[in-house]
Amino acid sequence: MSSDTQTGGSLESVADGYNDRFGHLFGELNGPQFALLIGSLVVLLAAPVWTSLLGAGGLLRTLALASIWAILAMAWDIQSGYTGYISFGHAVLSGGAAYTTAMLVAHVNPDLPFLVTAPISVFAALVIGLVIAIPSLRLRGPYFSLVTFVAGLIFYQLTYAFSGYTGGELGQRVGRIEFELAGAQVTTFDPVTRYYVMLVPMLVIAVALLYVARSNVGMILIAIRENEEAVAAAGIDTTKFKIWSFVLSSIPMGVGGVLLAHFYGSVNPLNFLLVDRSIEIIAMAVVGGMSSILGPIGGAFLVIVLREEVLGVFGVTGRWVALWTVVLLVLVFARDGLFRKLWHILGDRGRADGGDDE
Amino acid sequence: MLGAIGSFLVTGAMISAIYALIAIGFTMIFGVGGVLNLAHGGLIMLGAYGFLVVTSSSTVEFLAIPPIAGLAVAIAVGAVASYGLYVGLVEYIEDNPVITFLATLVVALILAELAIVAFSSSPRGLVNLAPGSSGQSVGLRVTNLEIVAFVTSWVAIGLLWYYVTRTDDGRSILATSMSQRGAQLTGVDLPSVKAKTWLIAGALAGLAGVFIGTLQQTSPTMWLDPLALAFIIVVIGGIGSIKGSIVAAYLIGYLETLTVTLLGSGFRGTFSLVVLVIVLLVMPQGLFGREWVHE
């Protein structure tokens, strides 16, 4: 026996311990899959340490940004990836939350604390989500996508039409996050704190969405994607569940929007509401692997790191050409997503008691 | 007053004719292949930039052919790009509507970024095909270019109608749009029919690109509005129906003209979007469409 199988064996026992306790909640894992998850988690949590050792301070900013986009990509996934109703207008939800924060700060009271503006903004995303979902979810196939696309265009136009409130093209200042937690002052002026303020919500949302996805609700959403008539015939109100999936999606979208607004310190239509932003969210989810929750996280980190750190060699505009080309290639040659592929390779390697969850 | 109404009727007709050009290609591709080509706006943009390159010496110094020949180049650029898009990409992925949706949209984004690389992001002016205006004597204000666009649009629609209903080659397209299976059983070569549809749609898009590029603007963001318009018109007319697209194009064209006349140009598109949402909710199959069948 080589040492390889021994480490594999001890990994299996740790993974089994996890499976016994949490497997029924979040899905079963095998050794290598468990190692990948824990490894990624350690790398993410320790990012301030290794980026400063590498002398790559800018990378921490990129990872913080990637955490926010991971929230958005996961949120899109629980709605579009799971139900198969592809939304082209999700940036409206995050943008709506971001703009709510901005308008509260600009027009109500500039000193409103984050702990007041954030919940209101997330609630705004939820309301916008319902406004879009309730009429559009009666439609099927491409029609649903068309309406969400149109919703994106309408909101984009509205920011210009009501530029007195929204600041029009220039947008509006939001400022950084500052609040007290257990007596300690938390401020995102500090890069390390900022990173954790973005990372922790991402991890919490990931766990919550994984739980939902493995629950009966998640099963019904997948069933709707596979065969909606059959689900309806079983006496389940599919519209209700589709609206639920939109609500489930709106809340993290709102959280992501608020974080993004504070990350940039300002909001504007270009960074928040342009059609490209919705497509970016979709691209991340698809590159990682739709309907898997964890896939979109990987997709978001891959896309943001490529965009911010790697593809810059092609120039300011060239990096977008390169990025969209990469996305196109993944769409054509790896439809199920890169991280899902990796996941299944690991699953096949460490198949001891079958950690397969697809 | 009479002059104002006349101006409204004429301006509306001119813009609607261009909208019809935009929408017909988009709807044909859906009718025949069941594919929503979200790169359609990108093809329109290619037409406009193709025209810019060959007619104005500002990009290639020694190249400045007459605008009429430039129009032919724009049509060719649109047609070739569209054909290439089909045989190079869409053909391999069209079995999966979601992937096709996303891939064609990503193609549009790539084209827009490439346009920024090649021509910068600031808008460019196109050489006017038919400078000047006419109609002042009867109290109307119409540019000659609008008249050319109107006439060209109807000539193109007429030719298309003749091709699709009077020639065997064209009838195979019509047959495929009615029933793919039936067409196949009668010996229609499906891949070649689809490729032909993309070629025609691209040609119409290239043609429309020149008019939009001259009347509105030629810029790397110009793909989005025509795409949104194509959506709106095609959904209102009924996805897949050419007749519906023409009717809806005039409906939307006049609605926008009315909006601009009464409220100003800031609200140009807003009402069309609202009408679209209402139509989708009340009659999702559109004016002349069939219910979209998920296969």
Side-chain angles (χ1 to χ4, degrees), chain B residues 12-14 16-17 20 150 153-154 245-255:
Chain B
M14 301 295 144
S16 304
F150 183 80
S153 162
W154 279 106
S245 294
I246 298 171
V247 173
Y250 277 80
L251 213 67
I252 290 298
Y254 274 108
L255 182 70

Side-chain angles (χ1 to χ4, degrees), chain A residues 211-254:
Chain A
Y211 173 72
V212 173
R214 303 280 177 231
S215 70
N216 291 340
V217 176
M219 296 303 154
I220 290 173
L221 296 183
I222 290 180
I224 287 174
R225 184 186 67 200
E226 298 303 334
N227 190 341
E228 189 165 351
E229 283 80 12
V231 178
I236 293 170
D237 182 356
T238 58
T239 306
K240 194 176 85 183
F241 277 92
K242 286 184 289 182
I243 290 175
W244 259 111
S245 78
F246 225 99
V247 169
L248 269 172
S249 174
S250 307
I251 295 170
M253 283 307 291

